[in-house]
Amino acid sequence: AAPAATVVVTAAHMVDVLAGRQVDNPQVTIVDGRITKVGRRGDPVPAGATSIDLGGRTILPGLIDMHVHLTSDPTLSGYRGLEFTDAFWTVVGVANARKTIDAGFTTVRNVGSSNYDDVALKQGVDGGYIPGPRIVPATYALGVTGGHCDATEFPPSITVPSPQIANSPEGFRAAVRTIRKYGAQVVKVCMTGGVLSKTDSVGAQQLSLAEISAVVEEAHMLGMRVAVHAHGTSGINDALRAGVDTIEHASLADAESFKLAKAHGAWFDMDIYDDDYILAEGAKNGVFAESLEKERIVGRKQRETFRAAHAAGVKMLFGTDAGVYPNGNNALQFAKMVEWGMRPIEAIQAATRNAAEALDKTADVGAIAPGRYGDLIAVEGDPLADVRQLERVSFVMKSGQVVKPLDLR
Ligand code: ARG
């Protein structure tokens, strides 16, 4: 057997996301990619270890974004994407994987892409072909005919292959089985209308309770969790009654939704930065006029719901819908979460501790703690005083390997 590779990282401070506080002078020992010890600077260093001292910086666990689309580019919205061949989107994903990990996001849940592109990206990253975060792929986002995850922007004479479409409980069961067969590790399903889809009503429910219940039963039977795109109230509430794991967007959730989420242990994963970007850049980027109209309806409401849900004690995640705004700018959402009611530590926990729980990966990611991967990042200042520090990550390590070195110029 090869000798163990040991790396020892020291810094001035560490955010302990499990305890919810800052610790001074951490010394993190990583052996063969996993953390073995979290001690104090000055503790003995194992012989033969590589030492990395991050000076006065603060270290945090690698961040987790629970809602990304690595294979999307917001500047190619609406009909603009039609100029490109199918595999182009995987190439976009390669570039975005690099931007995402350089921004400090060492794990992402990719909740929707065509052609199993996200499985290809995952295989490329895991195989060491390209740099990028750990990827939990959903493959195709499932949905009903004419719904948010169908292509509704074409006339009837233009047929788009739609393996993601189902219209009955049995149809959804089969779809879940198919995407798992080809690499899905989480199921994404479009329960209500959406913003960026051209023709549906953003608040309308699109799956019946029987259909979403079939998705949940099948996914859970196969060991996968269910992420539900839902803006509208009745869709959110039926999804929660069916026992889904995470509600994406959650824009029009009400007090009943909060009660159901808490009773069922579901998380809300709310992309509350996007409104700024879509309203500022959407028209220029080719976003449909119908979509801009819908964004004006839900954008602010979603932020108010975020504040109310958090205050009501709903478990919250960090999910940006990056791809709707540029991948790599994921961290811009932290400041929004603080502006709309979270303390900085809560926003950071949403992107680390809580995210790992929602991924069912607390053995692997989400904290600087023994047993987990050596995924950590460093920032210059104090992120608990100024969460915007996370917009400027100066060092990234994944599995004990430096992905983004300090820029010492
Ligand atoms: N993918 C989402 C949709 O089309 C994006 C919503 C963005 N807007 C927002 N306010 N979060 O529905």
Side-chain angles (χ1 to χ4, degrees), residues 276-362:
D276 280 17
Y277 182 84
I278 293 171
L279 294 182
E281 308 290 329
K284 191 175 84 199
N285 287 343
V287 170
F288 300 124
E290 294 91 329
S291 297
L292 296 175
E293 196 48 49
K294 291 193 271 187
E295 183 59 43
R296 284 183 210 106
I297 296 169
V298 297
R300 179 169 183 98
K301 184 72 189 87
Q302 184 190 32
R303 292 171 177 180
E304 288 164 359
T305 301
F306 174 88
R307 178 156 59 201
H310 176 58
V314 175
K315 296 190 292 180
M316 305 297 271
L317 299 170
F318 181 95
T320 61
D321 214 351
V324 166
Y325 75 97
N327 283 278
N329 289 348
N330 313 59
L332 289 174
Q333 187 176 284
F334 284 110
K336 280 285 171 213
M337 293 166 89
V338 170
E339 184 187 331
W340 288 87
M342 280 187 172
R343 291 181 291 127
I345 185 67
E346 292 171 325
I348 292 168
Q349 286 171 324
T352 53
R353 182 196 67 180
N354 302 5
E357 286 174 10
L359 290 173
D360 198 14
K361 288 191 184 299
T362 54

Side-chain angles (χ1 to χ4, degrees), residues 213-293:
S213 297
V215 171
V216 171
E217 194 184 279
E218 191 65 33
H220 286 176
M221 189 172 86
L222 295 172
M224 291 186 291
R225 293 199 167 171
V226 180
V228 174
H229 162 104
H231 291 281
T233 316
S234 73
I236 291 169
N237 293 349
D238 265 1
L240 290 167
R241 287 181 192 107
V244 307
D245 300 285
T246 69
I247 299 286
E248 312 302 306
H249 313 298
S251 307
L252 308 176
D254 63 4
E256 171 75 1
S257 319
F258 303 161
K259 220 167 63 191
L260 285 165
K262 285 160 68 179
H264 290 268
W267 286 265
F268 278 12
D269 188 22
M270 302 180 67
D271 55 327
I272 60 169
Y273 176 78
D274 289 323
D275 182 59
D276 280 17
Y277 182 84
I278 293 171
L279 294 182
E281 308 290 329
K284 191 175 84 199
N285 287 343
V287 170
F288 300 124
E290 294 91 329
S291 297
L292 296 175
E293 196 48 49

Side-chain angles (χ1 to χ4, degrees), residues 361-379:
K361 288 191 184 299
T362 54
D364 293 332
V365 295
I368 300 176
R372 305 203 197 198
Y373 287 118
D375 295 356
L376 53 90
I377 66 172
V379 295

Side-chain angles (χ1 to χ4, degrees), residues 54-233:
L54 296 169
R57 296 178 180 84
T58 298
I59 58 172
L60 302 97
L63 303 171
I64 304 172
D65 191 330
M66 294 294 284
H67 191 131
V68 302
H69 300 280
L70 289 171
T71 57
S72 296
D73 180 336
T75 67
L76 304 175
S77 291
Y79 290 116
R80 295 218 179 134
L82 299 179
E83 289 187 40
F84 301 89
T85 195
D86 297 321
F88 169 76
W89 303 104
T90 314
V91 178
V92 168
V94 170
N96 285 335
R98 166 103 248 178
K99 288 179 187 166
T100 301
I101 193 154
D102 281 352
F105 289 81
T106 52
T107 302
V108 298
R109 193 174 62 160
N110 199 80
V111 283
S113 67
S114 297
N115 304 316
Y116 299 97
D117 289 340
D118 52 0
V119 177
L121 283 177
K122 178 185 176 59
Q123 291 173 339
V125 170
D126 292 351
Y129 293 88
I130 59 167
R134 305 176 191 288
I135 297 170
V136 178
T139 75
Y140 286 92
L142 308 181
V144 301
T145 296
H148 177 62
C149 288
D150 195 3
T152 56
E153 63 270 38
F154 304 111
S157 56
I158 295 187
T159 316
V160 179
S162 311
Q164 80 282 19
I165 299 303
N167 287 293
S168 66
E170 288 319 301
F172 276 102
R173 273 181 207 283
V176 169
R177 289 173 182 168
T178 302
I179 59 172
R180 195 210 58 81
K181 175 178 174 183
Y182 295 116
Q185 295 185 333
V186 60
V187 175
K188 165 81 178 297
V189 55
C190 295
M191 183 75 192
T192 76
V195 172
L196 297 175
S197 39
K198 191 169 192 286
T199 62
D200 58 354
S201 153
V202 63
Q205 183 166 344
Q206 297 180 340
L207 272 76
S208 65
L209 179 59
E211 286 169 326
I212 190 66
S213 297
V215 171
V216 171
E217 194 184 279
E218 191 65 33
H220 286 176
M221 189 172 86
L222 295 172
M224 291 186 291
R225 293 199 167 171
V226 180
V228 174
H229 162 104
H231 291 281
T233 316

